[in-house]
Amino acid sequence: MPDNAANTPGEVLALIRDGRARTRSELSRLTGMSRSTITQRIDALLAGNFLYEAGEAPSSGGRPPQTLAFNSDAGVVLVADLDVTHSRFAVADLSGRLLAESAGELDIAEGPERVMGWVLDRFSELLEEVGRQDADVRGIGVGLPGPVEYSAGRAVSPPIMPGWDGVAVPSLLRPTFDVPVLVDNDVNIMALGEYWTRWRDRIDHMLFVKVGTGIGSGIVANGDIYRGQHGAAGDMGHVQVPTATEVVCRCGNRGCLEAIAGGGALAERLRGLGETVVDGRDVAKSALAGDTRAIRMIRSAGRQIGEVLAGVVNLLNPGAIILGGDVALAANELVAGVREVVYERSTVLATHDLTVECSELGDRAGVVGAAVMIIESILLPSAVDAAIRGDAAG
Amino acid sequence: MPDNAANTPGEVLALIRDGRARTRSELSRLTGMSRSTITQRIDALLAGNFLYEAGEAPSSGGRPPQTLAFNSDAGVVLVADLDVTHSRFAVADLSGRLLAESAGELDIAEGPERVMGWVLDRFSELLEEVGRQDADVRGIGVGLPGPVEYSAGRAVSPPIMPGWDGVAVPSLLRPTFDVPVLVDNDVNIMALGEYWTRWRDRIDHMLFVKVGTGIGSGIVANGDIYRGQHGAAGDMGHVQVPTATEVVCRCGNRGCLEAIAGGGALAERLRGLGETVVDGRDVAKSALAGDTRAIRMIRSAGRQIGEVLAGVVNLLNPGAIILGGDVALAANELVAGVREVVYERSTVLATHDLTVECSELGDRAGVVGAAVMIIESILLPSAVDAAIRGDAAG
């Protein structure tokens, strides 16, 4: 029996989306299913609008075969990447291509009802911009700046989101859009965006580190986000830095990475030197503009983050570490500092082909990842099969 | 369609092994397959000796149904947990129950041919002890005290195993036993043993920390061993301890956990105080015998290990941390030290129902885990299906 068991329409669709099969005969060869079974599955997928006939493939003699293609225009997904004050939004087709994007400012502390109402307004604007209706929406993906119980889409004890503790975000969106809604931590969706865009074909394990006001990480393990027992995995901000144990963090402990190398700490230190900067983004911009104090400061932050990452590299042996967030705008300085310590300090085996780079998606990593998260969920073979059974019954 | 798709004999066997189904009607209800298909699958499994008819279940009216049970006596697996000098061996039935065990001393530096020849002799003794033949052996599981490229069963740059670099262990066993051979790092198999024996029903993520001469960890993520991009994951011995940056490690770096809190370091320090101890096991025995200096030393090592684990807990949010290895013989002292720091230092969310305990399997964790590793591999649905197709063809 061939390796690629594909008994259901959803499994057949997965082979076509992956590019492993484009015609009925390729599917038959790949799955070992009979031509008549393949035809049944394809017909169901065509009827359900998941596939379309994309024209004839070159013939190898005889009648040229019809190629099949995934119908990425069959619907859209809506995504929101919410940060403490600054948020980004997008509407994407089912291939994950962003059709329109927007950004806006609202304090997350305004509370869940207010914020999600505002999010729904942004979604309406985006749909209008691309000429789509509410009925075209197949799913919604949301990132929040705090811990999330992924299975329920619920914020859990978020330190910087007063009023959100225990709130299930899907329940605030479903009255408007009766579609699947997935919610995750903002760093996790950024990690997913980077991984799917650039790394998925090459490595199975990746670490994304967001250096913003705080410092957090998203762990990709075996190709998927690793969340831990209570969805709290990825915290790096409160790990102790070996060489800076004297600094007191807002959490009460000493030497926390965030209190030393986070964007907030850097901005505060630069203000102490008389410069007018508000946050890590300003510090990074100063560095990019050639401010030597900001440059030295970010390089040093990179080394301190590297001290913590050196241990993480030994522990997780990732194929790549990708740095993102506001401070990573000063990419060269930050990466240089991190590399300096990680390559010196981690084991040879764990670093021998480790890549350390800054994000290429930048501010867009979150919306790209949120789209991947919801699309991969609604196109899971089991979800596709359920949709097709629903169609047939309805 | 019911959730439990089970189209092949191997998938049906998995449902019976898990205890989710015991009779043909339960299987039919669970899978949605027709009675005639179920009968075909069961017949194949009975013919392949994977199942047996285990007698009648209580009837709910009408003819009482025959129950089906996994035939764990259909073969045995052989396992070896090799350490630097001291190794353990076992023969297990296909449920993972150890039928006989042995232990022996041989320096791993004698090299792969010599050591694996010796291992084969131990395997022969065990088979004879339980009255089984070479032909009954279905698979072999081996743990090595160093990094392993799991897919090839190959030792990779093992620091304490001269002559083993690049050696594929299966090739040394296959001339004698033409069966599947899986090889992993010794800490990974210990982690697997602990996880399957006590934790699998309760949590998905666990960290096993071996405190022997060195310090290493085995990471269970989503119920499976996490190995990282090059099989190097789990190293903790060369992570820097925040509060002890002055100590120089044999690796050349400063402040490595192993150089401070490993069994070798503890024994050396106790020898410096005039006590006659050789290794971490002796230090633990002294502590158990009431030696207050050894007790204080292990407690302090626990705190230093805790400093590193505090960061690991934030990063991975495991459901449990299990401590094993020689130093963990002094369980109370070691656990107390680790808990003291982890519960104070890690985030509230990551610790709110975190368990920190010592191993209950102790020295046997490795052989138990090696048995789990090879059994779960040879009983994967795809492997069972392949075996049945082979039977039918032969």
Side-chain angles (χ1 to χ4, degrees):
Chain A
M1 187 190 283
D3 263 355
N4 299 285
N7 297 294
T8 71
E11 287 163 354
V12 167
L13 180 65
L15 295 176
I16 295 172
R17 283 184 71 217
D18 281 357
R20 280 180 286 170
R22 290 188 320 142
T23 64
R24 289 170 177 79
S25 21
E26 282 172 13
L27 280 168
S28 174
R29 208 157 46 230
L30 205 61
T31 62
M33 284 197 288
S34 69
R35 277 304 282 257
S36 65
T37 312
I38 296 280
T39 299
Q40 270 181 19
R41 303 290 180 264
I42 297 294
D43 287 349
L45 288 165
L46 289 168
N49 216 9
F50 288 101
L51 287 183
Y52 67 98
E53 305 263 9
E56 292 180 351
S59 167
S60 54
R63 191 156 61 100
Q66 271 291 331
T67 60
L68 299 159
F70 171 56
N71 186 9
S72 59
D73 290 328
V76 296
V77 296
L78 294 167
V79 294
D81 177 15
L82 304 183
D83 206 338
V84 181
T85 54
H86 186 82
S87 297
R88 298 185 69 96
F89 308 91
V91 55
D93 70 14
L94 297 182
S95 74
R97 194 165 60 91
L98 304 188
L99 304 173
E101 295 174 70
S102 65
E105 307 278 333
L106 185 70
D107 190 345
I108 197 114
E110 298 270 345
E113 281 77 17
R114 185 89 209 281
V115 170
M116 294 317 292
W118 177 71
V119 167
L120 285 168
D121 289 344
R122 302 291 82 70
F123 283 166
S124 291
E125 291 167 3
L126 286 169
L127 285 174
E128 197 177 322
E129 185 179 337
V130 298
R132 291 288 203 154
Q133 316 298 317
D134 286 8
D136 295 328
V137 176
R138 297 293 181 90
I140 298 176
V142 178
L144 294 183
V148 173
E149 185 190 335
Y150 178 74
S151 56
R154 197 188 302 273
V156 185
S157 322
I160 49 175
M161 298 170 62
W164 288 77
D165 188 18
V167 170
V169 170
S171 67
L172 299 171
L173 297 172
R174 287 255 176 72
T176 309
F177 295 102
D178 185 23
V179 295
V181 178
L182 288 179
V183 185
D184 204 349
N185 176 273
D186 60 345
V187 188
N188 284 349
I189 61 170
M190 293 173 84
L192 203 58
E194 285 290 335
Y195 182 69
W196 275 69
T197 305
R198 296 175 56 214
W199 296 97
R200 193 167 66 105
D201 297 338
R202 287 180 276 169
I203 60 176
D204 297 320
H205 314 293
M206 191 196 90
L207 190 73
F208 179 88
V209 181
K210 180 184 177 188
V211 188
T213 302
I215 298 178
S217 73
I219 302 168
V220 174
N222 296 308
D224 212 345
I225 294 294
Y226 172 88
R227 297 190 173 81
Q229 201 63 36
H230 300 290
D235 182 279
M236 273 186 47
H238 303 283
V239 172
Q240 210 170 7
V241 180
T243 57
T245 46
E246 74 289 353
V247 182
V248 177
C249 178
R250 65 183 165 90
C251 77
N253 275 314
R254 285 174 173 278
C256 293
L257 181 61
E258 185 166 307
I260 294 156
L266 300 185
E268 195 182 320
R269 226 174 302 150
L270 213 49
R271 276 199 301 276
L273 297 173
E275 301 201 18
T276 51
V277 290
V278 173
D279 54 19
R281 199 174 188 91
D282 291 342
V283 178
K285 283 180 181 165
S286 295
L288 286 174
D291 178 335
T292 53
R293 289 189 296 199
I295 289 174
R296 274 203 303 271
M297 207 170 265
I298 290 178
R299 182 100 178 210
S300 162
R303 282 194 293 264
Q304 287 158 328
I305 294 166
E307 286 187 51
V308 171
L309 285 177
V312 175
V313 165
N314 285 356
L315 188 76
L316 296 183
N317 184 22
I321 294 178
I322 307 301
L323 303 165
D326 284 348
V327 178
L329 287 177
N332 292 343
E333 304 313 325
L334 189 69
V335 163
V338 170
R339 284 184 183 153
E340 186 183 321
V341 177
V342 167
Y343 288 118
E344 186 209 331
R345 180 77 223 186
S346 298
T347 63
V348 173
L349 191 58
T351 49
H352 89 276
D353 70 358
L354 172 71
T355 302
V356 179
E357 277 182 16
C358 273
S359 162
E360 281 189 3
L361 289 173
D363 285 343
R364 304 170 73 221
V367 286
V368 170
V372 168
M373 168 174 75
I374 186 66
I375 291 168
E376 291 309 308
S377 169
I378 60 183
L379 294 179
L380 272 179
S382 56
V384 170
D385 295 337
I388 285 179
R389 280 196 306 275
D391 283 355
Chain B
M1 188 189 282
D3 263 356
N4 300 283
N7 297 295
T8 72
E11 287 163 353
V12 167
L13 180 65
L15 295 178
I16 295 171
R17 284 185 70 218
D18 281 357
R20 279 179 286 169
R22 290 188 319 142
T23 64
R24 289 171 177 79
S25 22
E26 282 172 12
L27 280 168
S28 173
R29 206 159 45 232
L30 207 59
T31 64
M33 285 197 288
S34 69
R35 278 304 285 256
S36 64
T37 312
I38 296 280
T39 298
Q40 271 182 17
R41 302 292 180 262
I42 297 293
D43 287 349
L45 289 166
L46 289 167
N49 216 9
F50 289 100
L51 287 184
Y52 66 97
E53 305 261 10
E56 292 179 351
S59 166
S60 53
R63 192 156 60 101
Q66 270 291 331
T67 59
L68 299 158
F70 171 57
N71 184 8
S72 60
D73 290 329
V76 296
V77 296
L78 294 166
V79 293
D81 176 16
L82 304 182
D83 206 339
V84 182
T85 55
H86 186 83
S87 297
R88 299 185 68 97
F89 308 91
V91 55
D93 70 15
L94 298 182
S95 74
R97 194 165 60 92
L98 304 188
L99 304 173
E101 294 175 72
S102 65
E105 308 278 334
L106 185 70
D107 190 344
I108 198 114
E110 298 270 345
E113 282 76 16
R114 185 88 209 283
V115 169
M116 294 318 292
W118 176 71
V119 167
L120 285 168
D121 290 344
R122 300 292 81 71
F123 283 166
S124 292
E125 291 167 4
L126 286 169
L127 285 174
E128 198 177 321
E129 187 180 335
V130 299
R132 291 288 202 153
Q133 317 296 318
D134 286 9
D136 295 327
V137 176
R138 297 292 180 90
I140 298 176
V142 178
L144 294 183
V148 173
E149 186 190 335
Y150 178 73
S151 56
R154 199 188 301 274
V156 185
S157 322
I160 49 175
M161 298 171 62
W164 287 77
D165 189 18
V167 170
V169 171
S171 67
L172 299 170
L173 297 172
R174 288 254 175 73
T176 310
F177 294 102
D178 185 23
V179 294
V181 177
L182 289 179
V183 185
D184 205 349
N185 177 272
D186 60 346
V187 188
N188 283 349
I189 60 169
M190 293 172 84
L192 204 57
E194 285 290 335
Y195 182 69
W196 275 69
T197 306
R198 296 175 55 215
W199 295 97
R200 192 166 65 105
D201 297 338
R202 286 179 277 169
I203 60 177
D204 296 320
H205 315 291
M206 189 197 92
L207 190 74
F208 179 87
V209 182
K210 180 185 177 188
V211 189
T213 302
I215 298 177
S217 74
I219 302 168
V220 174
N222 296 309
D224 212 346
I225 294 293
Y226 172 88
R227 296 190 174 81
Q229 201 62 35
H230 300 290
D235 182 278
M236 274 187 45
H238 303 283
V239 172
Q240 209 169 6
V241 180
T243 56
T245 46
E246 74 288 354
V247 182
V248 177
C249 179
R250 64 186 166 87
C251 77
N253 275 315
R254 285 172 173 278
C256 293
L257 181 62
E258 184 166 309
I260 294 156
L266 300 185
E268 196 183 319
R269 225 174 303 151
L270 214 49
R271 277 199 301 276
L273 298 173
E275 300 202 17
T276 52
V277 290
V278 173
D279 55 18
R281 199 173 188 90
D282 291 342
V283 177
K285 283 180 182 164
S286 294
L288 287 174
D291 178 334
T292 53
R293 289 188 295 198
I295 289 173
R296 272 203 303 271
M297 207 170 265
I298 289 179
R299 182 101 180 207
S300 162
R303 282 193 293 263
Q304 287 158 328
I305 294 166
E307 287 187 49
V308 171
L309 285 177
V312 175
V313 164
N314 284 357
L315 189 75
L316 297 183
N317 184 20
I321 295 178
I322 307 301
L323 303 165
D326 283 349
V327 178
L329 287 176
N332 292 343
E333 304 312 326
L334 190 68
V335 162
V338 170
R339 284 183 183 154
E340 186 182 322
V341 177
V342 166
Y343 288 118
E344 187 208 331
R345 180 77 223 185
S346 299
T347 63
V348 173
L349 192 58
T351 50
H352 89 274
D353 70 357
L354 172 71
T355 302
V356 179
E357 277 184 13
C358 272
S359 162
E360 281 189 1
L361 290 172
D363 286 343
R364 304 169 74 220
V367 287
V368 170
V372 169
M373 169 174 74
I374 187 65
I375 291 168
E376 291 308 309
S377 169
I378 60 182
L379 293 180
L380 273 180
S382 57
V384 169
D385 294 337
I388 285 177
R389 280 196 305 275
D391 283 354

